[in-house]
Amino acid sequence: MTYESAPLLAALAGATEDRIFYDLAGIESRYDTLRAELPGVAVRFAMKACPVDEVLTRLAQKGAGIDGASPRELRQALRAGVPVERTHYGNTVKSDRDIAEAHRLGVRDFVTDSVEDLAAIAAHAPGARVFCRLATSGEGALWGLSHKFGCPPADAVRILEAARGMGLTPSGLSVHVGSQQMTADAWHHAVECLADVLTALARRGIVLDHVNLGGGLPAMGYLDRYGRPLDPPLDKIFAVVREGMRHLRKVHGEHLAFVMEPGRHLVADHGAVRAHVARLAERRRPDGEHQYWLYLSCGKFNGLYEMDALQYPLRFPTHHGGAHVPAVVAGPTCDSDDAYPQGHALVQVPRELASGDPVWVLSSGAYAIGYTTQGFNGFAPLPYTCVGGARA
Ligand SMILES: *Cc1c(COP(=O)(O)O)cnc(C)c1O
């Protein structure tokens, strides 16, 4: 299913220049749905997915916190009105100075996956609450995140035991099953792993009070490699997470509190880019075959960072009907990664597209603003506007 909210479509239709729009009411309603599907789960929005003040403020007003990855992110969230007790430092990579600064800001929850980082937390954020991140396989996700983050179960036990010895509070375990995770199984495996580590910790007299189930919940509006809706099994994922929580509480105590750090899921479908056609060109490949290329004004470096990995629904509002041709879709810069993924089927585009015609890129609200360059090749960052502003 593609996501075309009325406020977003109205904003896109009214735009005469390139811009990204966020539908605040849409983001709020996605948050409400998530809270209803997973009762009792505290949401810490992974703000890197959309570091926009208005979004942070509105989510904070609804009761959400944030997952921050640097002192600068944490400061932005605090300025936008997120209460400090609903923030945590979720990045396992941090310098001494980063830790000290977060501690000065009042942040008390830190995620770690190494003894070195743990010792630095003990030194620069004395008394902090520590979460240890477990590695996952990342299977089933578009971005696995398995290589850089997390430790095996035995190391998690060792790290949380060491935390206790250093005067820190061992508070929780965290996982991230990989971004745009398409399988419910990934959460099932994560819960099994969490249960094993909780058991091993309990044997050593360490009882945690939190489990952080991470991000990874999918956006619903992307297309697959053939241009069909991706349709992630969201209901099944929610059911598996609910069952996992029930199981963990039954075995390890009803006191266990759950946190999730969705990023993409909350914002992707409620953001859309108004771009324009730079050129539709018919080119000959080295093997002599003809191929259409649709060059957009926006691409990997100015708003569509993930365009080389996934396919967004495109709309051509000035061309209804008429002849269509299959085209490779690409951004405007001199970088060959600035294009839809190789191996994806071509996108049907109107044959009569002219330079300057508007193109709407739907479900493009995640990882747009933060990943944009300062103007690679002179293509300026996209300005943004929030719509759906009126709060009931
Ligand atoms: C990026 C990130 C998230 C959010 O991931 P999504 O796939 O966008 O939900 C959550 N937690 C951590 C630690 C992250 O780095």
Side-chain angles (χ1 to χ4, degrees):
M1 140 177 210
T2 54
Y3 279 80
E4 303 186 359
S5 78
L8 272 184
L9 290 182
L12 290 163
T16 53
E17 300 289 336
D18 288 0
R19 188 166 282 273
I20 181 163
F21 295 97
Y22 295 104
D23 172 11
L24 297 176
I27 293 170
E28 285 183 331
S29 97
R30 185 66 64 96
Y31 173 84
D32 290 339
T33 305
L34 176 60
R35 296 268 298 159
E37 290 286 349
L38 302 176
V41 173
V43 174
R44 302 278 178 266
F45 175 52
M47 62 181 283
K48 70 176 188 285
C50 188
V52 165
D53 287 346
E54 293 88 334
V55 170
L56 300 175
T57 301
R58 290 283 282 264
L59 285 172
Q61 286 166 347
K62 300 226 80 162
I66 62 97
D67 162 60
S70 64
R72 192 156 171 262
E73 272 197 351
L74 291 162
R75 278 198 307 273
Q76 183 190 354
L78 296 176
R79 267 200 319 274
V82 180
V84 73
E85 62 278 7
R86 283 194 244 134
T87 67
H88 66 241
Y89 202 136
N91 194 349
T92 55
V93 183
K94 36 193 154 3
S95 70
D96 292 352
R97 198 168 147 174
D98 294 335
I99 296 167
E101 189 168 349
H103 188 249
R104 242 188 335 268
L105 292 171
V107 177
R108 293 294 173 262
D109 291 6
F110 292 75
V111 183
T112 193
D113 64 0
S114 74
V115 174
E116 290 79 4
D117 181 60
L118 181 71
I121 295 169
H124 301 285
R129 296 162 41 83
V130 176
F131 284 67
C132 188
R133 177 150 165 189
L134 295 170
T136 62
S137 75
E139 272 168 43
L142 250 63
W143 291 268
L145 310 175
S146 59
H147 158 68
K148 184 167 172 184
F149 304 105
C151 59
D155 292 8
V157 173
R158 200 163 54 86
I159 285 170
L160 289 171
E161 264 196 305
R164 184 169 59 176
M166 293 178 190
L168 298 165
T169 305
S171 296
L173 293 170
S174 66
V175 289
H176 193 306
V177 294
S179 203
Q180 187 68 15
Q181 175 55 254
M182 294 293 292
T183 72
D185 269 358
W187 274 277
H188 182 72
H189 294 315
V191 166
E192 282 181 340
C193 180
L194 287 162
D196 289 348
V197 179
L198 288 171
T199 302
L201 285 166
R203 269 195 232 114
R204 289 163 174 77
I206 295 179
V207 178
L208 303 178
D209 52 24
H210 276 78
V211 167
N212 180 338
L213 294 168
L217 289 174
M220 306 304 288
Y222 301 146
L223 304 179
D224 72 6
R225 56 192 295 134
Y226 307 105
R228 299 174 307 210
L230 206 48
D231 278 337
L234 189 62
D235 290 339
K236 197 166 160 205
I237 290 170
F238 284 144
V240 166
V241 171
R242 279 192 299 267
E243 178 50 38
M245 294 193 299
R246 220 172 1 250
H247 173 73
L248 290 175
R249 280 198 175 120
K250 198 167 106 205
V251 178
H252 298 282
E254 294 297 327
H255 71 283
L256 261 190
F258 289 89
V259 179
M260 261 189 144
E261 311 164 327
R264 179 188 306 285
H265 180 71
L266 291 181
V267 294
D269 297 324
H270 305 289
V273 168
R274 189 277 186 190
H276 67 270
V277 173
R279 188 72 56 202
L280 176 62
E282 187 180 0
R283 298 169 55 212
R284 222 136 59 95
R285 297 194 314 198
D287 64 8
E289 196 157 321
H290 285 259
Q291 203 169 43
Y292 285 95
W293 282 73
L294 173 60
Y295 304 110
L296 300 178
S297 57
C298 293
K300 186 169 176 60
F301 303 99
N302 59 341
L304 303 176
Y305 180 73
E306 299 184 319
M307 86 172 325
D308 62 340
L310 56 79
Q311 210 166 306
Y312 307 98
L314 302 180
R315 295 285 179 275
F316 305 97
T318 47
H319 293 76
H320 300 286
H324 280 58
V325 292
V328 181
V329 175
T333 69
C334 302
D335 187 308
S336 59
D337 286 344
D338 189 9
Y340 265 20
Q342 283 186 26
H344 276 217
L346 304 177
V347 178
Q348 292 293 326
V349 307
R351 173 69 190 92
E352 300 305 323
L353 281 178
S355 185
D357 285 347
V359 180
W360 299 347
V361 186
L362 305 181
S363 288
S364 55
Y367 300 107
I369 290 273
Y371 268 129
T372 216
T373 64
Q374 297 214 31
F376 177 55
N377 269 176
F379 293 98
L382 275 181
Y384 76 85
T385 298
C386 294
V387 301
R391 263 169 69 77

